[in-house]
Amino acid sequence: MTQLTITPDHAPDQVLLQTGDFDIIQRELAAIGVPLARWRADAKLAADAAPEIVLEAYADSVAALNARYGFQSVDVVAMYPDHPDVATARQKFLAEHTHDDFEIRFFVDGAGVFYIRKAGKVYTTLCTAGDLIELPANTTHWFDMGPKPLFKAIRFFTQPDGWVGHFTGDPIASRFPAYAGAAA
Ligand SMILES: [Fe+2]
């Protein structure tokens, strides 16, 4: 289930709001310019399903999003606990960064946590299957897939070179609770 925890960015322990109510989560994220929607994600796919299989299963959703935004590229991140690149993949997204492109993710399986920093607060957002989240360009954020990641997310890019992160160098992520994972 999708979850949101809001804390001051300087006080990760000071919980201002914690909720699993999707409507409230949607409203809180909309207030900081981050659209969140709930889409159908009920395809039964193997943990290590190839990207083309995932894209085929969600071809209608991908086409609808492409029609809306005119994406230049689409890919799939699929992680599972014994994936050979777990440690590297987790670290890549774990430091605070921004993008020139917006970051849109359609979670079709499993879960992962976006930490979105805005106006002195951090919005810790556990995204689960069916969540379509859109971080506008230049949104300060990081992402934790957890030590034993299990998720699939379709990524959409308006720039042909795909994922390019600008790291802020702020170690804030290390002060926030890491995502323990669904199995914990
Ligand atoms: Fe990012």
Side-chain angles (χ1 to χ4, degrees), residues 9-10 12-13 117 170-177:
D9 60 2
H10 61 277
D13 297 334
R117 188 180 191 181
D170 189 321
I172 183 171
S174 64
R175 299 198 301 269
F176 272 71

Side-chain angles (χ1 to χ4, degrees), residues 92-93 95 97-99 103 105 114 135 139 141-143 155 163-166:
K92 180 176 180 182
F93 306 116
H97 63 274
T98 64
H99 305 282
E103 177 158 333
R105 299 287 179 272
F114 272 107
L135 307 187
T139 301
H141 67 281
W142 67 98
F143 177 78
R155 310 193 299 178
W163 194 93
V164 180
H166 304 299

Side-chain angles (χ1 to χ4, degrees), residues 63-82:
L65 287 165
N66 268 334
R68 190 193 299 179
Y69 294 101
F71 294 111
Q72 297 289 310
S73 61
V74 177
D75 70 9
V76 176
V77 178
M79 296 301 302
Y80 44 94
D82 54 354

